[in-house]
C-alpha cells in the first residue's frame, strides 16, 4: 500500500473510530475506578496515618493491611472490578512489610516514593528519545492498540509535550514526599501522600484527554479533502 493510499483510507475509518472511543467521563472513570475507587484507594493510607498517630507502628500497619484486604474482598464478593483494589493492596502490603521490618514508619511510604521517581524519570527519558510514554499508554488504554499517532507530527508533538508535563509534575510531587521522608516528618509525609496523590493525577488526566481530543478534532477536517 502506498503512502497516498494509506492517507486516503484514514478519513473513511476516522469518524467511526472517533465514535467508538470512550467518552471523557468513561475514560476518567476507567483510570480512576470512579469515586468509589478514589475513596477505597485512600482509606488504607488514612487508616495508617491516624492509627500511627494515636498508637504504635505495628498496629497501624496491621490496620492498614486489614482494611485493604477487606476492600479487595468486598469487591470480589460483589463481582466488581478488582484491578484498582489489587494495585492498592500490593502497594500497601509492600510498604507495610518494609516498615514492619525496619520499625520506621517512614518506610511505609518508601515504595511509593521510589516508584514515583522511576516513573517520572521514565516519562522524561521517553520524551527525550521521541517515544513519549503518554502516547503509548493512550494507544493501549484508549485507541485499542492502534498507534497511528506516530504518523502525525502534530500528535507526536502533543504527546511529547504531555509526557514532559506528566514527568515534571510527577517528579515535583515525589520530590516533596522525598524531602519530608529525609526530614523525618512522618505525619506530614502521610498527609502529603494523600494530597499529592489523586488530585494532581486527576488534573493531568483531564488535561491529557481534553488536549488529545482537541488536536484530533482539529486534524480530521484537514484530512477529508485528500480522500
Amino acid at each position: 500500500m502506498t503512502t497516498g493510499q494509506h492517507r486516503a483510507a484514514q478519513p473513511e475509518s476516522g469518524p467511526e473510530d472517533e465514535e467508538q472511543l470512550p467518552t471523557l467521563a468513561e475514560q476518567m472513570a476507567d483510570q480512576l475506578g470512579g469515586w468509589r475507587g478514589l475513596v477505597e484507594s485512600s482509606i488504607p493510607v488514612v487508616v495508617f496515618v491516624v492509627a500511627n498517630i494515636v498508637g504504635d507502628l505495628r498496629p497501624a500497619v496491621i490496620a492498614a493491611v486489614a482494611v485493604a484486604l477487606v476492600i479487595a474482598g468486598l469487591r470480589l464478593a460483589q463481582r466488581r472490578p478488582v484491578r484498582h483494589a489489587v494495585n492498592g493492596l500490593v502497594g500497601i502490603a509492600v510498604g507495610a512489610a518494609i516498615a514492619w521490618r525496619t520499625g520506621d514508619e517512614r518506610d511505609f511510604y518508601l515504595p511509593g516514593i521510589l516508584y514515583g521517581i522511576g516513573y517520572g524519570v521514565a516519562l522524561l527519558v521517553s520524551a527525550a528519545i521521541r517515544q513519549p510514554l503518554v502516547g503509548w499508554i493512550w494507544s493501549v488504554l484508549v485507541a485499542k492498540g492502534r498507534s497511528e499517532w506516530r504518523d502525525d507530527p502534530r500528535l507526536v508533538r502533543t504527546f511529547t509535550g504531555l509526557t514532559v508535563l506528566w514527568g515534571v509534575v510527577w517528579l515535583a510531587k515525589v520530590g516533596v514526599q522525598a524531602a519530608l521522608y529525609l526530614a523525618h516528618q512522618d505525619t506530614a509525609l502521610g498527609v502529603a501522600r494523600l494530597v499529592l496523590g489523586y488530585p494532581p493525577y486527576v488534573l493531568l488526566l483531564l488535561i491529557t484527554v481534553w488536549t488529545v481530543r482537541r488536536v484530533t478534532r482539529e486534524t480530521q477536517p484537514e484530512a477529508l479533502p485528500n480522500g
Side-chain angles (χ1 to χ4, degrees):
M1 178 181 292
T2 65
T3 304
Q5 290 174 328
H6 177 68
R7 291 178 179 174
Q10 284 182 337
E12 297 177 3
S13 60
E16 295 178 1
D17 292 341
E18 181 66 22
E19 291 176 2
Q20 294 174 357
L21 287 177
T23 64
L24 172 61
E26 290 171 339
Q27 291 178 49
M28 294 294 292
D30 180 65
Q31 293 307 302
L32 300 173
W35 289 110
R36 176 172 175 173
L38 286 172
V39 173
E40 289 178 347
S41 63
S42 301
I43 288 176
V45 178
V46 173
V47 168
F48 177 82
V49 172
V50 174
N52 193 50
I53 291 174
V54 301
D56 295 326
L57 170 63
R58 294 199 170 186
V61 168
I62 293 172
V65 173
V67 168
L69 285 170
V70 169
I71 290 173
L74 286 175
R75 277 191 167 265
L76 282 173
Q78 297 170 356
R79 296 184 178 181
R80 298 177 62 88
V82 296
R83 173 166 60 95
H84 300 284
V86 170
N87 290 341
L89 177 59
V90 171
I92 293 295
V94 173
I98 296 175
W100 186 282
R101 182 177 181 84
T102 63
D104 191 339
E105 59 199 65
R106 298 180 305 152
D107 291 337
F108 180 80
Y109 309 102
L110 184 58
I113 293 173
L114 296 177
Y115 167 79
I117 293 173
Y119 187 53
V121 170
L123 284 163
L124 295 181
V125 170
S126 72
I129 63 175
R130 304 291 290 175
Q131 294 290 334
L133 190 56
V134 171
W136 291 113
I137 294 175
W138 179 274
S139 293
V140 173
L141 298 181
V142 180
K144 301 178 182 179
R146 299 189 304 272
S147 58
E148 287 88 348
W149 61 269
R150 291 293 305 167
D151 300 320
D152 187 334
R154 188 172 182 183
L155 278 175
V156 172
R157 290 194 299 269
T158 298
F159 279 124
T160 299
L162 288 169
T163 300
V164 171
L165 175 64
W166 275 77
V168 170
V169 171
W170 219 262
L171 288 177
K173 72 173 191 172
V174 78
V176 172
Q177 296 178 58
L180 293 171
Y181 177 88
L182 295 174
H184 294 264
Q185 298 293 323
D186 306 323
T187 301
L189 179 55
V191 174
R193 164 76 175 268
L194 295 171
V195 174
L196 298 177
Y198 274 112
Y201 184 58
V202 171
L203 181 59
L204 286 170
L205 274 179
L206 283 171
I207 292 172
T208 299
V209 174
W210 179 83
T211 301
V212 175
R213 284 182 173 273
R214 178 178 61 83
V215 172
T216 302
R217 284 196 300 268
E218 289 178 356
T219 55
Q220 281 180 350
E222 297 175 2
L224 289 175
N226 293 330

